[in-house]
Amino acid sequence: QVQLVESGGGLVQAGGSLRLSCTASGSIVSIYVMGWYRQVPGKQRELVATITRAFVTNYADSVKGRFTISRDTAKNTVNLQMNSLKPEDTAVYYCAADPRNMGVLNWGQGTQVTVSS
């Protein structure tokens, strides 16, 4: 079981930047995959980016070239640098982790990101 706590959400203008951070704690030291998802009211939660223990990354097409995911294994953190933000990026962003690649995600509480026009 892994506990995840996000930080860094807020309100920014279109074209601005924001950096999200997520800190993991729990009994598992090496987490197979960590990532970020986002959700808006009335829509399904969607993948934003993931990063594996081997630092292999995956991005949604909508954020490629604008967002960068990174992790610091020693600090048990995963970060999401968001640049060139658009209003359509507005959502609650959730940190997620699959410690042992078992297909069951641990979720953070979510952090609101709002991008104004």
Side-chain angles (χ1 to χ4, degrees), residues 21-105:
S21 296
C22 173
T23 300
S25 62
S27 61
I28 300 176
V29 176
S30 181
I31 300 174
Y32 175 73
V33 62
M34 300 184 72
W36 293 91
Y37 289 70
R38 65 188 182 187
Q39 188 171 28
V40 299
K43 296 183 65 178
Q44 294 184 356
R45 192 169 298 183
E46 65 177 4
L47 170 73
V48 177
T50 59
I51 183 167
T52 71
R53 190 166 54 220
F55 300 98
V56 177
T57 59
N58 182 46
Y59 296 92
D61 288 341
S62 60
V63 306
K64 286 182 179 178
R66 299 189 298 120
F67 292 9
T68 302
I69 190 170
S70 62
R71 69 185 294 177
D72 187 330
T73 304
K75 296 181 179 180
N76 292 319
T77 60
V78 61
N79 305 301
L80 185 69
Q81 178 65 47
M82 304 184 294
N83 299 325
S84 301
L85 283 162
K86 304 175 181 179
E88 50 263 43
D89 294 318
T90 296
V92 176
Y93 284 70
Y94 295 90
C95 181
D98 188 351
R100 297 182 177 180
N101 194 26
M102 297 296 291
V104 179
L105 294 175

